[in-house]
Amino acid sequence: MKFKQMLKNDLKKNEDFTEKLLNLLPRGYQELNHIAILNLKPELREYASQIAKSMHEILPSLKAIWHKTGRIEGKYRQPQGLAHLWGDSNSEIILTENHVKYKFDFTKIMFAKGNVTERRILPTRIKEGEVIIDMFAGIGYFSLGMAKTKKPIKIYSIEWNPEAFSYLCENIKLNKVNSIITPIFGDCKAIIMELKENKIRADRIIMGLLPAPVDAIPSALSVIKDNGIIVYEGIEEKESTKLFDEFSEIANREGFLTSIIQRRVVKIYNPHLYHVVIEIFVKK
């Protein structure tokens, strides 16, 4: 039986829940390490505790239930409006995915479960001996998986959010990839200039940020080797070429030829719009 129907059946016993309210119940929830994060419609929010109690009864494997009323906002793209409803109130967890351990506080750090396939695929694209720059590393979403393959010689992981950078450093130790990943705190454009001055050039650059970091394309091109790969992300229609065209226009001005190695649709972002990843070959 589906989650919503199970919840409806249990809450029917409660006279506070009219048929109208029952129909507004969520179809599902986000789960992180047996912790459920609910998104409730405004009409249901005053009943959040009762809904959490019912969830605990029908899903006894859950350790905790939280309610999210806000969005991902602000300079550091942090989750907003998370409130504890039931169970263990500790919001710091270690999530294991694709044999990689990610430690973070889900009330402070965004972790997109829907990107699990991309976190699995990207490490398989790496070749032996690569030097990689991860321009928007976060807590190590992509850096850790790439490093665990033991293929790269070096990964420079850049992050400017102090909270995320702290977890990045912890996760490097947790996954025992200290010899491969060098974490660098600061704005990626300034750090890229420092890497360039130190004559560091990359075989591959990861630009994993939404919305697409158009203004960082020249910085990435300034440290890519004469033949290199840039992994670029953004939002566009399913069959669109807008992201690649946008990248290519800037790359051509900087003296590079471009071609698509692979384009991957990660997930639906909004009706008619998709989160897309493009591997782009660039040649000076």
Side-chain angles (χ1 to χ4, degrees), residues 117-186:
T117 303
E118 187 59 26
R119 287 190 290 271
R120 176 181 59 79
I121 290 174
L122 189 54
T124 69
R125 311 289 295 169
I126 306 306
K127 297 179 177 64
E128 294 284 348
E130 285 192 355
V131 173
I132 299 170
I133 298 174
D134 187 353
M135 289 179 68
F136 309 97
I139 62 170
Y141 304 109
F142 298 122
S143 291
L144 297 169
M146 293 187 295
K148 291 276 277 188
T149 68
K150 305 298 183 187
K151 290 182 179 180
I153 291 175
K154 180 61 68 177
I155 302 173
Y156 297 95
S157 300
I158 306 167
E159 179 53 41
W160 78 324
N161 176 348
E163 199 87 46
F165 183 75
S166 176
Y167 281 115
L168 170 63
C169 294
E170 283 196 63
N171 288 328
I172 290 167
K173 294 175 185 174
L174 192 61
N175 288 277
K176 299 177 181 178
V177 288
N178 312 57
S179 63
I180 296 174
I181 300 178
T182 297
I184 308 173
F185 177 70

Side-chain angles (χ1 to χ4, degrees), residues 3 41 59 71 74 79 94 108 126 128 151 167 183 188 190 198 214 231 236 248 266-267 281:
F3 168 71
K41 293 185 183 296
L59 299 167
R71 301 168 65 95
I94 297 176
K108 299 174 182 176
I126 306 306
E128 294 284 348
K151 290 182 179 180
Y167 281 115
C188 69
N198 287 317
V214 183
V231 182
E236 65 181 0
S248 293
V266 178
K267 61 180 183 293
F281 177 72

Side-chain angles (χ1 to χ4, degrees), residues 54-112:
S54 179
M55 280 184 67
H56 163 55
E57 290 173 0
I58 65 174
L59 299 167
S61 64
L62 291 177
K63 295 191 302 185
I65 301 169
W66 289 68
H67 178 213
K68 182 180 176 185
T69 57
R71 301 168 65 95
I72 305 296
E73 295 176 2
K75 177 181 176 181
Y76 296 131
R77 305 283 294 149
Q78 292 176 305
Q80 305 296 316
L82 274 159
H84 176 254
L85 296 177
W86 172 86
D88 186 355
S89 61
N90 182 21
S91 56
E92 187 176 75
I93 63 172
I94 297 176
L95 177 69
T96 302
E97 178 190 273
N98 300 324
H99 307 294
V100 178
K101 294 177 181 178
Y102 300 95
K103 183 177 181 180
F104 63 102
D105 183 329
F106 61 80
T107 66
K108 299 174 182 176
I109 301 292
M110 177 184 69
F111 192 93

Side-chain angles (χ1 to χ4, degrees), residues 36 38 111 122 133 141 162 185 192 198 206-207 211 243 276 278:
L38 280 171
F111 192 93
L122 189 54
I133 298 174
Y141 304 109
F185 177 70
I192 289 289
N198 287 317
I206 313 300
M207 300 182 72
L243 283 171
V276 171
I278 310 173

